[in-house]
Amino acid sequence: MAIAQALGAAVLFRRLGNAGVWRVAVGCALAAQSALLAAPWEPYAPWAVGLAMFLYGGATLGFPAASGLVFDHVAPHEATTAMALLSVSGALAFAAAAPTFAALLDPAARGAAAAAPFALGWVLMAAAAGVFAIVLTPPSRRSSALELC
């Protein structure tokens, strides 16, 4: 995680900006979740989990990038409210995810049944990434059907 943060601060934020770094972080998170889909199959488990942990380190770049995006897209007098909403929504997501995935995770399951919670996590991450991609698209390039106001 420290390597990803140092690389992000030294190179990625300067070259890609907040939106670009956020896209890299989401890509790392989706790749990590994809690696976890292989974890239930015995010969791949150690490699899948190790690769996922490495990629989740890159995904941590999403936290400072999201904060920067708030300041890029929100009026200065509304920035504190937006930052508070970002923190609250993250806390609510973690609070809802923990019991949900604990109920879905069956330690006795093997194969595809054991991969089901990871597949659901991948679908939810991809859906959230889609929503953010729409929000980050400049209004001039958005379809009028996708306008949020």
Side-chain angles (χ1 to χ4, degrees):
M1 180 167 46
I3 294 170
Q5 295 293 328
L7 176 67
V11 177
L12 294 178
F13 279 100
R14 290 184 186 150
R15 291 189 180 198
L16 302 176
N18 291 321
V21 172
W22 186 87
R23 288 180 183 104
V24 168
V26 169
C28 286
L30 286 172
Q33 198 67 20
S34 297
L36 286 178
L37 292 174
W41 285 272
E42 193 55 46
Y44 306 112
W47 294 101
V49 173
L51 178 60
M53 293 301 105
F54 175 77
L55 290 167
Y56 278 130
T60 62
L61 289 171
F63 296 114
S67 298
L69 284 170
V70 166
F71 289 109
D72 290 348
H73 292 279
V74 175
H77 66 280
E78 295 176 340
T80 54
T81 302
M83 291 300 292
L85 287 173
L86 186 65
S87 298
V88 168
S89 64
L92 289 175
F94 283 122
T100 302
F101 283 97
L104 290 174
L105 195 61
D106 180 11
R110 298 288 179 258
F118 302 116
L120 176 62
W122 191 95
V123 168
L124 292 173
M125 281 182 175
V131 168
F132 273 100
I134 290 169
V135 170
L136 291 178
T137 303
S140 61
R141 296 181 59 203
R142 252 189 242 150
S143 165
S144 61
L146 296 176
E147 289 185 16
L148 301 176
C149 298

